[in-house]
Amino acid sequence: MEPYLSEKFGNASEPHAYGREARAALEGARRTVAELLDCEPGQVVFTSGGSEADNQAVFGFCGRPLGRLVVSSIEHPAVREPALELERQGFEVAWVRVDGGGTVDVEAFAAAVRPGDRVAAAMWANNVTGVVQPVEELAGIARERGVPFHCDAVQAAASLEVSFARSGVDSMAVSAHKLHGPKGVGCLVARDPGRLRPLVLGGGQERGHRSGTENIAGCVGFGAALAGVRTSADHRRRMRTRLEAALPVGVDVVSAGSDRLPGHSLLRTPGLRAELLVLALDREGFAVAAGSACSAGDAEPSHVLVAQGMSAEDARSVIRVSIGARTTADEIDGFIAALDRTIGTLRRGILPAA
């Protein structure tokens, strides 16, 4: 990214040499992303991130007049909130349940999707539990009924072999920051981008699908990050196995029996509020999240955990541990020791010093 933050400063919309240089970098990044996501370059629309891509798909497919859409009950807020907004506007939303392990109920999904629905949406892997969903099966059901299927693939693209072509989805969202890439850039991949009304109108960049001067450095970084991140999946899986095998007594792994992302571990510490544990572990030098980082500061329990049958009290005692490409065995062992100390301290009612 560095040259595009300094000397290669051109605007990709301009015809002069600086602009052509920027355009070449942008289209090179588009080809890289397309190759790695198994789609055509013309199907990639660069956005400000996964949230914008999800919003454009949901609102774009639904349009007007009023209609009906089908959404899984565990969607990221970037899909859930647009669906709720459409519901407030008069659309009918069918919310599909999940089982106790956090997997979308395929039979319930099949019963919910009807010919004429504007869109059906289910994520590839959940951001809270890490549970991988049966996307190809769900997309096939929607396709049989002639209903467009949108998939939030933000979490999955960092770890799994995400193939747009094989998945059968009509659109999906990806974000760079989940791939060790820069924040503020992502993409919407769509079988027919022209079908989705753009959210951002203006100068007609991204072939008219998303206006605004392109973030060249971000797009270049996105492509580079996507190219490098998947090689770490086996390492993260080994580190997670090491972590979950050494957990202190009384700490449970949520959705342990489900197919999960390799670097994702959701831990329940009964009787302890997650936000206290997050702060205490931060003082020990470890950064974890209470449920989902996307709902930081929200006192309500995670809708994802409640949807899979967890009580509100238990949902408030859950922390999310993410294992990165460079996480070491020593760091895992240090975290386990810190978690044990912290739980003991909090259970005795003694908060660590600020």
Side-chain angles (χ1 to χ4, degrees), residues 35-60:
E35 180 180 355
L36 293 166
L37 296 179
D38 194 18
C39 64
E40 296 298 323
Q43 295 174 322
V44 176
V45 179
F46 285 118
T47 66
S48 64
S51 291
E52 182 187 333
D54 281 330
N55 272 249
Q56 185 169 348
V58 175
F59 287 124

Side-chain angles (χ1 to χ4, degrees), residues 313-336:
E313 181 181 358
D314 280 346
R316 291 190 178 98
S317 70
V318 169
I319 61 170
R320 186 182 67 174
V321 180
S322 299
I323 297 166
R326 297 185 180 90
T327 302
T328 67
D330 286 345
E331 287 170 334
I332 294 293
D333 296 344
F335 172 75
I336 290 295

Side-chain angles (χ1 to χ4, degrees), residues 210-275:
R210 198 273 188 187
S211 291
T213 301
E214 293 96 343
N215 176 3
I216 304 300
C219 293
V220 168
F222 180 15
L226 185 56
V229 72
R230 291 180 186 169
T231 58
S232 68
D234 288 343
H235 167 75
R236 282 180 283 166
R237 190 175 287 106
R238 288 194 300 272
M239 292 300 100
R240 185 183 68 186
T241 298
R242 186 184 187 99
L243 182 152
E244 293 181 354
L247 289 172
V249 175
V251 178
D252 303 322
V253 179
V254 178
S255 299
S258 301
D259 182 17
R260 293 178 291 153
L261 294 173
H264 209 105
S265 187
L266 197 67
L267 307 179
R268 186 174 68 94
T269 56
L272 293 180
R273 290 296 291 262
E275 58 267 32

